[in-house]
Amino acid sequence: MTRTRLQAENVRLGYDERIVVDGLDLDVADESVTVIIGPNGCGKSTLLRGMGRLLRPRAGSVLLDGKRIDKLPTREVARTVGLLPQTPSAPAGLTVGDLVARGRQPHQHWYRQWSAGDEEAVAYALSATGMSSFADRAVDELSGGQRQRAWISMTLAQETSLLLLDEPITYLDLAHQVDVLDLVHRLHTERGTTVVMVLHDLNLAARYADTLVAMHDGRIVSQGTPDEVLTGQLLSDVFGLDAKVVSDPVAGTPLVLPISAHLRDEG
Amino acid sequence: MNATLAADPVQPGRRALHRRRTRRLLSLAALVAALLVAAAASLAYGAHPVPLDAVWQALVAPTGGEDDIIVRSLRVPRTVVGILAGLALGAGGALMQGHTRNPLADPGLLGVNQGAALGVVTAVVVFDVTALGSYIWFGFAGALMAAVLVFVLGTVRGGATPVTLALAGAAVSALLYGLISAIVLGDRQGMETYRFWHVGSIAGRELAVAGQLAPFLIAGFVLALANTPGLNSLALGEDVSTALGRNVRRTRLLGILAITLLVGAAVSACGPIAFVGLLVPHIARALTGPDYRWLVPGAALLGAVLVLAADVLGRLISGDSLEVGVLLAAVGAPGFIHLVRRRGLSRI
């Protein structure tokens, strides 16, 4: 039986009048990487925001260690769950070092703003993302890939055992995408961090996920290992994509090859 | 457990954090030194210049001579009130820009200025109060009431956001301005008092004025400093702030309370001294960087330096016929335009 610290129970999530996710259940397996996939607007990010208490459920509940996450003190949650939203923005002139240091806020008190432990965590978070030599540079002057690594570094400095990442590799070139995902993989294997992330790239999702969760119209339609989830049938049902799934010659995980219309017409 | 994750040497990151801290401490030390110079100038210069050694004499061992009287009864109160107002307006401006994440935000955005103005006018016209020390209370009460009204009107479902607050502030300010105009147009005495108060001045205040407002200013500064870590996380967006364990609503409420106390107290005593709250945070940001734990004290110190410097300049070039508010507007407006054109207003 897999253990789980973070669960969604029959949650309904939405914005204003619009309900995006309804009646959804999800148990996140501990010390593993869970990747949520699905077409645009299917509620992936909404679910992640709900799991990270950025969005209060209209019904049902999100549980952290068996307790309702919205009833727990938010600082306490922040010491356990780290969350990086999609495309966050930093004020002009903020240095990478200062940004990463702000990840220590849940561990700080008004009477102790900065401790040796804070410095340690920040220095190592910078190093883990390869950003040590950028600590003096302003975040808004970095390239997209460096900026994303700086933000991830901030969530690492938070030193949480659960990490929720909303499309952490969007806007990065392929090499940087792999860098970031390798880092996530190391976090999981070396620190036992539980990671939940939303990804658009199905092939990278298949390669790095222990569990894939496929969503469609605010519901989970399939959940399991990448081999179980990524089938031609699912791609057609969920994405409306005609594709062939082969074994990735590099990793042995499923590889999605779209059969695009222009090829079909010629064939 | 950490070491295994290291992808590059750890030391450079550590050193960068230390360098940064040293630079900020130096900036604040320089601002304190500038404030001491400005205060000395404010005690010494004017229609009747007093040499610095005589100023010192007057402060520590007064003999009752002409210099002593000028320094102790005129310039000390003026300088103290100027420092307090400058500290409050500078800190209030930095907080306001931080909470709205808007570089054009002015501490008057919450309707505090017009609230204080209505309080002063009501005191003079309705209650026949003409002593400054008395109508300050009315001004302060007006400022508080305006801020509460703006906060209530600006609180929609999901709490008060900077946008709803700014809209409510603009609407309430316009309404109060209409009321003020209606009252003073029919009352000569009210018009005169309003005119002088509204220019913004630190002259002719007794030291008691500083004592009157000190409790509120101290409370305001404590709340402002307590608000800075929260403001640092809010600067990364409400989502990141929540993820870092901040209660966004509580952080906003604390900030609004601090701004109201600081700006309400300063404005009721000295009138809405233009440009301090708008201009000072931008210059302070260049010195301390965007970390509010340093920026708010930096902006407070710089606000005090600017108010005193403008006041002294007014005494020197016009024989004290130009009030600090006029001079700051005359110098501040071009300064602000220059800042915007040369560096652009930074995203905050």
Side-chain angles (χ1 to χ4, degrees):
Chain A
M1 200 187 91
T2 56
R3 285 163 36 79
T4 171
R5 297 185 64 185
L6 188 62
Q7 299 165 280
E9 276 187 354
N10 199 20
V11 288
R12 180 188 299 160
L13 298 163
Y15 306 94
D16 295 329
E17 306 302 310
R18 200 164 56 92
I19 301 296
V20 182
V21 169
D22 204 359
L24 182 145
D25 292 288
L26 177 65
D27 288 359
V28 176
D30 283 353
E31 302 188 12
S32 72
V33 175
T34 302
V35 177
I36 306 173
I37 57 169
N40 292 330
C42 73
K44 305 181 293 282
S45 293
T46 305
L47 174 60
L48 202 74
R49 289 169 56 84
M51 305 280 289
R53 54 101 169 75
L54 297 190
L55 202 59
R56 188 191 291 267
R58 305 281 176 85
S61 49
V62 173
L63 302 178
L64 176 65
D65 294 326
K67 291 178 200 128
R68 282 186 56 170
I69 200 167
D70 51 339
K71 301 280 185 205
L72 291 169
T74 180
R75 270 169 74 87
E76 205 175 288
V77 175
R79 290 196 280 261
T80 311
V81 183
L83 187 146
L84 184 59
Q86 232 168 305
T87 59
S89 81
L94 184 71
T95 63
V96 172
D98 281 350
L99 174 68
V100 177
R102 288 184 191 181
R104 296 301 296 167
Q105 283 212 350
H107 302 273
Q108 291 165 339
H109 301 277
W110 61 266
Y111 52 85
R112 192 180 51 77
Q113 284 291 315
W114 192 249
S115 69
D118 291 333
E119 181 171 315
E120 194 79 349
V122 170
Y124 278 109
L126 284 167
S127 161
T129 48
M131 293 300 286
S132 297
S133 49
F134 293 91
D136 271 333
R137 298 266 301 273
V139 177
D140 54 342
E141 288 162 6
L142 300 177
S143 74
Q146 292 162 340
R147 197 175 305 158
Q148 188 65 6
R149 272 151 64 207
W151 280 99
I152 291 175
S153 190
M154 185 201 78
T155 54
L156 292 189
Q158 212 174 327
E159 292 192 315
T160 58
S161 45
L162 287 102
L163 196 53
L164 311 180
L165 303 171
D166 195 355
E167 299 195 23
I169 57 172
T170 312
Y171 308 120
L172 303 189
D173 61 39
L174 190 55
H176 282 119
Q177 292 188 358
V178 172
D179 273 353
V180 167
L181 292 176
D182 274 339
L183 173 64
V184 169
H185 181 74
R186 291 204 326 273
L187 277 175
H188 148 64
T189 54
E190 292 169 19
R191 282 192 185 178
T193 306
T194 303
V195 181
V196 184
M197 56 183 167
V198 170
L199 290 181
H200 268 299
D201 188 310
L202 298 176
N203 296 327
L204 288 174
R207 188 176 282 195
Y208 287 93
D210 296 311
T211 306
L212 268 190
V213 174
M215 283 184 71
H216 186 50
D217 277 344
R219 288 174 304 111
I220 293 177
V221 289
S222 178
Q223 184 177 351
T225 64
D227 280 314
E228 290 164 358
V229 173
L230 276 187
T231 61
Q233 188 61 47
L234 178 114
L235 292 169
S236 145
D237 291 350
V238 169
F239 293 92
L241 178 73
D242 189 7
K244 185 171 175 154
V245 181
V246 298
S247 177
D248 181 338
V250 176
T253 48
L255 185 66
V256 176
L257 302 171
I259 302 169
S260 39
H262 79 288
L263 292 174
R264 243 194 331 264
D265 297 343
E266 284 164 24
Chain B
M1 139 185 126
N2 276 313
T4 48
L5 275 175
D8 64 2
V10 176
Q11 277 312 318
R14 220 191 279 272
R15 275 200 300 273
L17 292 172
H18 286 280
R19 267 200 303 277
R20 192 103 188 121
R21 200 180 169 78
T22 312
R23 249 190 39 207
R24 285 166 177 157
L25 280 173
L26 285 176
S27 299
L28 285 196
L31 284 172
V32 170
L35 182 55
L36 289 176
V37 171
S42 171
L43 292 174
Y45 292 115
H48 177 101
V50 180
L52 277 177
D53 53 343
V55 168
W56 183 251
Q57 193 72 39
L59 289 179
V60 295
T63 54
E66 195 191 358
D67 282 358
D68 291 4
I69 292 169
I70 287 175
V71 169
R72 291 180 73 91
S73 64
L74 293 178
R75 294 201 185 141
V76 167
R78 187 174 188 156
T79 306
V80 171
V81 169
I83 290 175
L84 288 179
L87 287 170
L89 291 174
L95 286 182
M96 185 57 100
Q97 291 185 2
H99 275 284
T100 54
R101 292 185 83 181
N102 182 345
L104 291 174
D106 172 278
L109 209 64
L110 285 174
V112 175
N113 290 355
Q114 298 300 345
L118 184 64
V120 168
V121 166
T122 308
V124 174
V125 175
V126 181
F127 296 99
D128 259 341
V129 176
T130 47
L132 183 78
S134 309
Y135 72 62
I136 280 180
W137 289 124
F138 285 86
F140 191 52
L144 293 187
M145 282 192 280
V148 169
L149 181 62
V150 167
F151 188 71
V152 170
L153 289 179
T155 303
V156 288
R157 198 160 49 94
T161 69
V163 175
T164 57
L165 282 179
L167 287 173
V172 168
S173 290
L175 174 73
L176 295 180
Y177 182 70
L179 281 175
I180 294 162
S181 304
I183 295 174
V184 297
L185 278 178
D187 187 285
R188 197 178 176 77
Q189 170 78 37
M191 185 69 182
E192 287 295 303
T193 315
Y194 175 67
R195 228 159 46 98
F196 276 102
W197 175 85
H198 194 258
V199 164
S201 167
I202 59 172
R205 270 76 181 154
E206 285 170 30
L207 204 53
V209 165
Q212 248 178 310
L213 295 173
F216 303 100
L217 290 173
I218 291 169
F221 282 119
V222 170
L223 292 181
L225 289 178
N227 198 219
T228 55
L231 209 44
N232 271 345
S233 77
L234 268 184
L236 306 176
E238 293 194 5
D239 278 358
V240 176
S241 184
T242 308
L244 287 175
R246 289 282 164 194
N247 181 327
V248 172
R249 277 192 205 191
R250 200 180 301 162
T251 306
R252 289 219 186 292
L253 196 62
L254 186 62
I256 289 167
L257 198 59
I259 293 169
T260 306
L261 286 175
L262 289 172
V263 180
V267 169
S268 53
C270 308
I273 301 176
F275 278 106
V276 179
L278 183 61
L279 189 60
V280 157
H282 289 286
I283 306 171
R285 197 172 283 112
L287 294 172
T288 65
D291 187 329
Y292 286 95
R293 287 171 304 174
W294 301 86
L295 176 54
V296 167
L301 289 170
L302 192 63
V305 172
L306 200 66
V307 167
L308 284 190
D311 189 53
V312 172
L313 194 65
R315 285 183 237 166
L316 288 180
I317 62 175
S318 72
D320 211 9
S321 64
L322 279 180
E323 300 290 2
V324 61
V326 177
L327 210 90
L328 267 175
V331 180
F336 190 64
I337 292 168
H338 173 72
L339 198 75
V340 174
R341 287 181 60 94
R342 197 170 131 251
R343 303 167 34 121
L345 285 178
S346 47
R347 195 162 40 80
I348 53 180

